Amino acid sequence: MASDGARKQFWKRGSSKVPGSIQHVYGAQHPPFDPLVHGTLLTATPKVPTTPVKATRASTFQEFESSTSDAWDAGEDDDELLAMAAESLNTAVVMETAHRVLRNHSQRQGRPRPPGAPEPSAEPSADPSAAPGGDLRLVKSVSESHASCPEGIVSDAAPLQRSQSLPHAATVALGGAPEPSALSTSALSEREASRLDKFKHLLAGPNTDLEELRKLSWSGIPKPVRAITWKLLSGYLPANVDRRPATLQRKQKEYFAFIDHYYDSRNDEVHQDTYRQIHIDIPRMSPEALILQPKVTEIFERILFIWAIRHPASGYVQGINDLVTPFFVVFICEYIDDEDADSADISRVPEDVLRNVEADTYWCMSRLLDGIQDNYTFAQPGIQMKVKMLEELVSRIDEQVHRHLGQHEVRYLQFTFRWMNNLLTRELPLRCTVRLWDTYQSEPEGFANFHLYVCAAFLVRWRKEILEERDFQELLLFLQNLPTAHWGDEDVSLLLAEAYRLKFAFADAPNHYKK
């Protein structure tokens, strides 16, 4: 365990030098405020009960988990995955799904079945070390699967993690170019075409049913209709088709009136600190190939400065800048053919199109921030509250991970502050952020409330790696630089399904937070 002096020195250095870390800047007009020193989050970690929990007596949460075991199938649509989170699965259903997964996996790998191996229809043999007690469930919840693990021991016999329950080939098929052995191109494109037709049919009506649009969008929005869907779900555009052109014209005109009225004041003494901080932060954003284009930099500066001027309660706070990128990329993709928007050449986009994209980005980002503005007011009380809730939630769903962090004196605020401040935009590739926001837009208060359960599922997703780290510095470095560079849509879908399960268990049962 690191000494106090070494730990303080590391934290001071890590906040500015560690790749992917973020400095705690709380607004150019406010004096510095460090949530590690102030606030209610500095209370001591609750003592771990010394009396072991009897394995034969299940808690209410464990009973819930036992009745909602998930069985993932690479051939199922995301809508079906979501429905499974709220259903009870009997042993026969789970075993049948397990057979299908093993059969599909064998076919994808193209490996001949070893001599003497059971047929796919036969009951799959389970490694006793991997399934103690003969538990034949394909996937167990994180907290239940590790309930009997000795403290401080990382067991190789732990049941499969959710990220491992789908064969790798399935991830490639859904996240990138489909492999013929994993899922035929025709089958994949048929499913995508079917979903796109559902969206187009829903959007073509004279009055869009927003509730149905939310349900359809939860498991992802096809790229051709993503921009219009985000504008509708964010409340920027009305459901009535006839009113949309006039609304767009009026809002775009209003935004550029703000530019004419306020933007020249950026060099005034009262606003120059705000503008300087924005000007410094934008080149630090990603993707660099997009952000560092002069036209894009100017657009982001205008959007952030106008928002800061019109919201004096918070002003500009470091982290808000990252929330502009997903909206801008989604809206600009309506007008460019580049498959990879991260490196699209914006200079080829007509000037009037860029103006419309800029105004749309401003208003949609404003709608998002209206629901989480307490994250950015002085002392950022919204973030402090969410970090505390996350800590309590993790202590319930995976006490071993929670205890491991406490033993090495890693505070949740040291790594989850950025998760809340930037809504995981620094932890995930841009393509994954866009997919994540599809669901956030369709969830009631997705950015404000559902994000908490996504963060809990995201942390527990790395439990094996976390428990293997035995050093404060290495543990914090890992948590600040999680290896998600190669994640795709399938990884995000699994993360969201686990978050939905946690929300289903905890959102309407606040007493579960209490020990």
Side-chain angles (χ1 to χ4, degrees), residues 112-134:
R113 188 176 291 105
E119 293 297 321
S121 59
E123 189 166 299
S125 59
D127 185 353
S129 64

Side-chain angles (χ1 to χ4, degrees), residues 262-268 271-273 275-276 301 305:
Y262 294 114
Y263 196 58
D264 287 341
S265 68
R266 64 189 181 277
N267 294 319
D268 293 352
H271 298 314
Q272 63 182 3
D273 288 343
Y275 179 74
R276 183 186 300 114
E301 286 181 354
F305 182 77

Side-chain angles (χ1 to χ4, degrees), residues 264-339:
D264 287 341
S265 68
R266 64 189 181 277
N267 294 319
D268 293 352
E269 185 176 355
V270 68
H271 298 314
Q272 63 182 3
D273 288 343
T274 297
Y275 179 74
R276 183 186 300 114
Q277 189 62 53
I278 292 171
H279 189 71
I280 290 172
D281 288 345
I282 288 177
R284 299 172 177 172
M285 297 167 60
S286 61
E288 292 182 357
L290 176 67
I291 303 299
L292 294 183
Q293 296 181 47
K295 285 189 176 181
V296 178
T297 299
E298 292 171 6
I299 288 171
F300 277 44
E301 286 181 354
R302 286 195 292 266
I303 290 173
L304 292 168
F305 182 77
I306 296 301
W307 189 90
I309 294 300
R310 299 195 73 249
H311 296 80
S314 62
Y316 172 76
V317 178
Q318 194 177 35
I320 293 177
N321 52 311
D322 286 314
L323 307 185
V324 181
T325 309
F327 288 113
F328 180 81
V329 168
V330 167
F331 297 157
I332 201 68
C333 281
E334 280 192 291
Y335 306 99
I336 59 176
D337 297 328
D338 302 58
E339 283 297 323

